[in-house]
Amino acid sequence: MTDKFGIEIEFYGLGRDTRHVARQLTIPDILIRGESYNHELRHHWKVVTDGSVLDGAELVSPPLVFNDASLDEVRKIFAKLKEQECFVRDNCGFHVHVDGTFLRSYSETKRNDFFRFLVAAYQANESVFDRLVKSHRNTNIYCKSTKDKSWDDLMNDRYHKLNLNSFIRHGTIEFRHFHGTINGEAAIAWITLCVTFMRNVRARFEASYDRAVNRSASV
């Protein structure tokens, strides 16, 4: 099982001209391009505008394998943001996408059962996640609570702490909960938490699902 992830970093300090921002963030061996606003998958880092940071920008990674080399690349990105004196405000977020393409091999019934299982797991731990982020993120309209919500609610409205709609768009599960940051080590810790959470939920779901199928087959 190879875990993959992607990140979105909202920040201020270099303006809104995405090509200018990309030039200021030049890093050897890491390709960063300024682009117009889009949701297209790229194989390079892209700087785009974002409606929630009107005079800032958003830096979006390509899909990255969860390993030391990728985390070191993330570390270099954040070091460059600090070097350029970028900063965040309360309206900034740091979003992590975790690969969910394995769900495409599931039947529709099994996939929907997984979404229910994932949402229940997140709801059970949401108060723990709340303590790991700045308090203003817990009342933010762009990352609403999952409590008392169904998996359909999270599928139909992407502005939740856990965004399932991202699976339809990108084949990922998006964690929108974390506050904006230019602290590389904090970002890496959150990435690790999100990837590990998804890995553990998947393992527990598949084990419980297989047991349920075996019980049904033996009846």
Side-chain angles (χ1 to χ4, degrees), residues 5 8 19 37 40 51 57-58 68 71 75 83 92-93 100 102 128 143 149 158 161 207:
F5 71 97
E8 301 170 1
R19 288 174 175 79
Y37 180 76
E40 298 301 315
E58 181 177 64
D68 289 343
L71 295 180
R75 192 173 282 111
E83 178 187 303
C92 294
F102 67 91
V128 178
C143 57
K149 304 287 182 67
R158 68 190 184 99
K161 296 172 182 177

Side-chain angles (χ1 to χ4, degrees), residues 80-165:
K80 190 66 176 183
L81 289 169
K82 277 194 171 182
E83 178 187 303
Q84 292 297 313
E85 299 183 347
C86 298
F87 59 92
V88 295
R89 296 173 179 152
D90 283 356
N91 62 323
C92 294
F94 173 67
H95 305 160
V96 177
H97 289 257
V98 181
D99 183 31
T101 53
F102 67 91
L103 292 167
R104 292 173 177 161
S105 66
Y106 287 6
S107 68
E108 182 178 358
T109 298
K110 184 177 180 180
R111 185 164 57 246
N112 292 345
D113 285 344
F114 175 83
F115 288 138
R116 291 187 185 93
F117 192 91
L118 172 62
V119 171
Y122 197 89
Q123 289 170 336
N125 290 281
E126 184 174 320
S127 60
V128 178
F129 290 130
D130 286 345
R131 293 196 290 271
L132 300 177
V133 306
K134 292 184 177 179
S135 59
H136 68 266
R137 291 300 286 179
N138 297 322
T139 55
N140 189 292
I141 61 171
Y142 295 110
C143 57
K144 294 175 287 191
S145 174
T146 68
K147 294 175 182 176
D148 301 317
K149 304 287 182 67
S150 69
W151 72 272
D152 282 313
D153 294 328
L154 275 61
M155 185 65 76
N156 293 320
D157 180 358
R158 68 190 184 99
Y159 293 123
H160 283 89
K161 296 172 182 177
L162 183 71
N163 170 23
L164 302 188
N165 182 262

